Amino acid sequence: MEHQPVSDVIEKSNEYVLGTYIRAPFVLDRGAGMWLFDTEGRAYLDFGAGISVNNLGHCDPGVVAAVTDQVARLSHTCNLYHTAPQADLAEALCCSGFADKVYFANSGAEAIEAAIKFARKYALVTHGPGKTGIVAFHGAFHGRTAGALALTPKERYQAPFRPLMPGATYAPFNDRDAALSAIGPETCAVFVEPVQGEGGIHPADPAFLRALRDACDATGALLVFDEIQCGVGRTGTLWAYEQTGVVPDLLTAAKALGGGLPIGATLLTDRVAAALEPGDHGSTFAGGPVVCRAALAVLEHINDPAFLAHVREMGALLTERLHAIQSPCIRAVRGLGLMIGVELDIEVAPLIASGWRHGVLMLNAGTHVLRLLPPLIVEPDHIERLVSALEAMLWEIDAV
Ligand SMILES: Cc1ncc(COP(=O)(O)O)c(C=O)c1O
């Protein structure tokens, strides 16, 4: 495809694409491994992975081969028919952890919507009407659709869209006592991220998750882990919950699972699945053969002990190198595996913009946390490059 001038693309995009995003002032054209290239040939080292999506980097050969083969064979059937890629992916997901069944969706928010409906139906069938409350946590992000938004207690996101789905209440994250008083007989589910992403990269304390598990068991509520951002190898185990010793009733996955194609998945136990029947939920596109082949290639690559050991090793190295940066702006470095937040005492937006000029792509989590989510194939030389660039950027800011 011939390149259009950058200003033409940006102008066209600003004119015709609804402005719900502030975008970088360049046009991306292609990707390879850890690198993205713009239409003018500039290279960017990717430490955002499309917000925890490109966990195998850009254009992973295994994903490309699987998708290319499948798209030429059969790209869509709808869910009225069986396909082998969907059955294989469901089996792989169930064999990867606690779940017995999978519901496929097309995005993270949709996986959350499904989990909300499944929890409500389970409560109705098992306990009768009235058990409809859902507890979520301050700092949580579960998505932008109506139900998910009700579980995302950020005023800026919720205010224009009230009234929201009723029944949601919020408790402080990692505060055991407050959570226990929020969970009661009316609660049908507790939604929690094992590592809060958008909220600033905050790992949940395993004792906090254990307390949630016990409170759910005591009240008949379901425990839902949202691993949309922290799952699929990001924290150094396939699922972050494996490091906590606490097992959920449902788990939502999306983002990295599709290897760059859109997918969502809600994993559940047979106990919950028994409450659901044909017609309770559905989607035309979900679990299509192309995205399922991509996801199978992703899982095969990532769910390998040597690969996950690499993630842990690189996560430890990146954390150590970030701690070593001498800058009065850095307040804290925290995270799990390759899900790392650098809390600063300055706003991170100018730093991210400075990264574009230095050829590195980084993300924010709120206004003061720099969020680093590199593809999991990152190597020490990429880490050195990122850290040197960050040191230079912070030095430029400190010098002003
Ligand atoms: C933890 C978490 N849950 C849900 C979502 C929503 O996913 P999506 O943007 O695919 O709808 C996100 C997206 O950032 C997320 O990080």
Side-chain angles (χ1 to χ4, degrees):
M1 212 166 104
E2 215 172 273
H3 287 158
Q4 303 172 41
V6 172
S7 55
D8 285 9
V9 176
I10 293 177
E11 242 171 64
K12 201 187 297 181
S13 176
N14 288 343
E15 182 161 356
Y16 294 113
V17 179
L18 184 67
T20 56
Y21 284 95
I22 297 168
R23 293 173 205 262
F26 47 85
V27 177
L28 289 176
D29 178 49
R30 66 188 177 87
M34 287 293 298
W35 294 90
L36 282 161
F37 301 89
D38 71 16
T39 47
E40 301 194 311
R42 270 188 302 267
Y44 302 87
L45 184 60
D46 187 4
F47 266 68
I51 320 186
S52 205
V53 168
N54 301 101
N55 281 10
L56 293 177
H58 297 276
C59 299
D60 170 70
V63 173
V64 171
V67 167
T68 310
D69 176 65
Q70 187 60 46
V71 82
R73 180 183 296 266
L74 181 67
S75 65
H76 176 76
T77 61
C78 87
N79 278 299
L80 297 174
Y81 309 101
H82 292 284
T83 68
Q86 187 182 97
D88 288 345
L89 179 60
E91 179 187 48
L93 286 168
C94 290
C95 292
S96 78
F98 75 99
D100 304 305
K101 292 275 188 290
V102 181
Y103 170 81
F104 288 111
N106 304 286
S107 67
E110 271 186 60
I112 293 288
E113 297 293 332
I116 293 170
K117 285 181 69 175
F118 298 166
R120 289 246 167 111
K121 178 86 193 288
Y122 171 82
L124 181 69
V125 169
T126 314
H127 303 281
K131 193 173 173 65
T132 55
I134 300 182
V135 175
F137 294 95
H138 297 167
F141 184 88
H142 296 295
R144 309 281 197 151
T145 51
L149 183 62
L151 307 183
T152 299
K154 189 164 171 173
E155 190 57 17
R156 159 90 182 73
Y157 294 165
Q158 290 188 342
F161 305 108
R162 296 205 168 97
L164 302 172
M165 175 187 77
T169 51
Y170 316 117
F173 185 67
N174 268 342
D175 181 336
R176 188 182 164 279
D177 293 342
L180 293 190
S181 45
I183 301 168
E186 73 295 340
T187 308
C188 73
V190 175
F191 280 66
V192 64
E193 293 155 85
V195 183
Q196 281 194 342
E198 307 285 326
I201 313 291
H202 294 285
D205 181 350
F208 171 68
L209 296 180
R210 166 53 50 202
L212 297 184
R213 176 73 274 171
D214 292 345
C216 285
D217 291 343
T219 57
L222 298 174
L223 183 60
V224 185
F225 283 171
D226 179 348
E227 295 227 13
I228 288 164
Q229 190 163 153
C230 66
V232 195
R234 174 60 53 195
T235 65
T237 44
L238 184 66
W239 306 113
Y241 80 82
E242 295 168 41
Q243 297 176 56
T244 70
V246 180
V247 177
D249 301 297
L250 295 100
L251 180 147
T252 53
K255 288 190 182 281
L257 185 58
L261 298 188
I263 193 170
T266 306
L267 280 58
L268 55 159
T269 59
D270 270 339
R271 178 168 70 104
V272 183
L276 293 147
E277 58 193 5
D280 277 342
H281 202 36
S283 159
T284 301
F285 279 116
V290 177
V291 71
C292 287
R293 285 287 301 278
L296 280 162
V298 167
L299 282 182
E300 193 178 274
H301 196 139
I302 291 183
N303 200 13
D304 164 359
F307 187 85
L308 292 167
H310 171 81
V311 177
R312 294 192 293 275
E313 204 185 313
M314 291 303 105
L317 178 64
L318 178 54
T319 305
E320 181 195 312
R321 298 293 293 115
L322 291 167
H323 273 297
I325 294 179
Q326 301 292 322
S327 167
C329 297
I330 296 183
R331 279 203 204 134
V333 177
R334 59 173 175 261
L336 200 61
L338 282 168
M339 186 168 180
I340 297 176
V342 182
E343 188 171 329
L344 302 170
D345 65 3
I346 52 167
E347 294 212 348
V348 294
L351 206 60
I352 290 170
S354 166
W356 303 335
R357 293 187 291 277
H358 283 265
V360 295
L361 300 185
M362 304 176 293
L363 302 166
N364 69 304
T367 52
H368 285 70
V369 176
L370 194 64
R371 182 168 35 149
L372 301 176
L373 306 169
L376 309 181
I377 57 168
V378 67
E379 293 289 345
D381 57 322
H382 304 122
I383 290 176
E384 290 314 317
R385 208 165 170 139
L386 179 277
V387 169
S388 308
L390 192 53
E391 269 171 338
M393 290 181 250
L394 285 165
W395 187 86
E396 282 163 20
I397 284 171
D398 290 345
V400 173

